Amino acid sequence: MRIVTVVGARPQFIKAAVVSRAFRAHQPGVHEVVVHTGQHYDANMSAVFFEELDIPRPNYNLGIGGGSHGQNTGRMIERIEEVLLQEKPNWVIVYGDTDSTVAGAVAAVKLHILLAHVEAGLRSFNRRMPEEVNRVLADHASDLLFTPTDTATRNLHSEGIVGDEVQQAGDVMYDAVLLYGAKAEQTSQILHAHGLKSKEYILATLHRPVNVDDADRMRSILNGFRDAPLPIMWPVHPRAVKRLGTFGLSLPETVKAIEPVGYLDMVMLEKHAALIATDSGGVQKEAYFHRVPCVTLRDETEWVELVELGANVVVGTDRENIARALTLAREPVSVGSYPFGRGAAGPRIASHFGDTQR
């Protein structure tokens, strides 16, 4: 069994680490070839994850990044197709909702190679988000769809994707928290390096184009941060750094910007924060896994389960809404239920790739 795994962005490295580990542990007959598109090309956003998470080094690093969505996706499709023609895999696996996801999906189906999508079925129902378009296209192209939650499974069924091709596996990012959480506590020095005390700071992340490419939305978010009751730690995505300069925006005194951090350092920052404010889908989930309340800086979320559980408040980018949420949303999140499974998604996914034929 030969599999090509296509990744390109931070969350995908984490998800792929879990499944790759499961292949090595449970499916010795699987030969995995990892293709890194280069979508996240900064060392702190890319290379460090392969080192920390024990992901097999990419067999191919395509070095594609920095362009528009259309430019990147087109170039990725062309280069991934070259790899697939050379490797002749039985399956291609894609993760999540990035340009790398849809590029891997298109390249696979055009060559009639079986396609699996991990984290299928998510919907924000906002087609103006490029991630939403990527999700829908990847799902409807896939032969095997691994959903993380009941809601994701229902979304696919409502779109006519039913039958054995839909497999509810649970969330691989919860596997990652369980696998690497103890290692983070033992090795990370991020709290000490920045003089942070547990539950005495807010962690913020921003990277969605809808926010960082819009001067008014960025200004409103920063103004909301200005009224925060605790200091804010912000590992700044390279895209956001460029936009701050372009828009002539300065950070409020409440915000301390730091370089992007590796996964283990991010786990520590998330785990010990009093609150997390983010526009990232992955960080919303990680906040819940660490039982930290979350404020989502978007107009909607694909993780509706978190809102229903009271673990996540969606506030958009209005200054007053942000400031109010940062003040009020401070209660620890109770364990309650396990909508994302109990941490065995990786082995469940790997179990579907034991034979060459489906």
Side-chain angles (χ1 to χ4, degrees):
M1 170 69 73
R2 195 171 187 84
I3 292 173
V4 166
T5 293
V6 178
V7 294
R10 170 195 180 273
Q12 294 168 331
F13 306 148
I14 300 166
K15 298 164 193 171
V18 170
V19 178
S20 294
R21 183 185 180 109
F23 282 146
R24 297 196 300 272
H26 304 290
Q27 298 290 0
V30 168
H31 176 73
E32 184 183 22
V33 176
V34 178
V35 178
H36 180 4
T37 65
Q39 184 172 337
H40 278 175
Y41 49 85
D42 182 273
N44 286 338
M45 299 293 291
S46 176
V48 67
F49 286 87
F50 290 90
E51 296 168 4
E52 291 183 343
L53 304 184
D54 190 29
I55 310 174
R57 285 287 176 176
N59 302 86
Y60 298 87
N61 194 325
L62 307 184
I64 298 169
S68 69
H69 286 292
Q71 290 170 333
N72 285 343
T73 304
R75 291 160 61 203
M76 288 176 190
I77 292 171
E78 181 178 9
R79 295 291 305 282
I80 293 169
E81 181 180 73
E82 293 173 1
V83 173
L84 298 182
L85 288 170
Q86 180 173 329
E87 294 292 340
K88 298 180 173 58
N90 304 101
W91 284 88
V92 171
I93 301 179
V94 296
Y95 292 81
D97 57 14
T98 70
D99 292 342
S100 300
T101 308
V102 74
V106 170
V109 298
K110 291 289 187 179
L111 295 174
H112 308 292
I113 298 170
L114 292 170
L115 175 68
H117 184 199
V118 176
E119 204 176 67
L122 303 188
R123 297 291 183 269
S124 67
F125 302 101
N126 177 3
R127 289 293 182 94
R128 293 184 63 83
M129 291 177 60
E131 295 86 359
E132 181 78 353
V133 175
N134 293 342
R135 295 171 192 138
V136 174
L137 292 176
D139 283 344
H140 284 265
S142 293
D143 301 282
L144 191 53
L145 302 98
F146 295 107
T147 59
T149 64
D150 290 338
T151 301
T153 300
R154 288 196 298 270
N155 287 339
L156 293 179
H157 289 172
S158 71
E159 295 174 12
I161 305 175
V162 297
D164 291 342
E165 64 263 38
V166 179
Q167 295 290 325
Q168 189 166 323
D171 199 301
V172 289
M173 292 189 75
Y174 187 44
D175 289 33
V177 166
L178 298 179
L179 286 169
Y180 300 109
K183 183 178 179 181
E185 290 282 359
Q186 294 167 3
T187 62
S188 175
Q189 297 297 315
I190 191 76
L191 300 184
H192 175 74
H194 294 284
L196 298 174
K197 294 183 178 180
S198 185
K199 307 304 178 185
E200 293 187 9
Y201 65 92
I202 293 168
L203 175 66
T205 77
L206 284 169
H207 76 282
R208 297 271 181 185
V210 68
N211 284 334
V212 299
D213 290 353
D214 186 310
D216 291 336
R217 290 176 72 93
M218 278 287 278
R219 184 177 296 107
S220 184
I221 290 169
L222 293 177
N223 283 335
F225 286 174
R226 197 178 306 278
D227 300 321
L230 290 172
I232 295 175
M233 294 295 296
W234 181 14
V236 185
H237 191 285
R239 184 187 191 97
V241 172
K242 292 180 182 179
R243 295 298 184 266
L244 287 172
T246 301
F247 299 149
L249 297 175
S250 59
L251 299 181
E253 293 182 0
T254 51
V255 176
K256 179 179 181 180
I258 62 174
E259 293 287 322
V261 298
Y263 179 65
L264 299 181
D265 283 342
M266 191 64 177
V267 165
M268 286 296 288
L269 287 173
E270 291 172 341
K271 189 174 183 178
H272 291 278
L275 174 76
I276 295 175
T278 186
D279 62 6
S280 162
V283 175
Q284 289 175 52
K285 286 187 300 176
E286 289 168 342
Y288 178 71
F289 298 153
H290 296 300
R291 311 306 176 196
V292 175
C294 183
V295 170
T296 293
L297 305 169
R298 282 165 46 191
D299 298 323
E300 70 286 304
T301 178
E302 57 274 28
W303 298 110
V304 295
E305 299 88 349
L306 300 178
V307 177
E308 292 169 354
L309 289 168
N312 188 358
V313 179
V314 180
V315 297
T317 58
D318 178 78
R319 172 182 181 170
E320 292 184 2
N321 288 342
I322 293 171
R324 186 181 305 112
L326 295 183
T327 300
L328 297 178
R330 297 272 300 281
E331 293 297 321
V333 176
S334 61
V335 175
S337 59
Y338 291 85
F340 301 97
R342 293 179 178 268
R348 286 197 187 96
I349 290 169
S351 70
H352 287 267
F353 298 92
D355 300 314
T356 302
Q357 300 298 323
R358 289 187 63 204

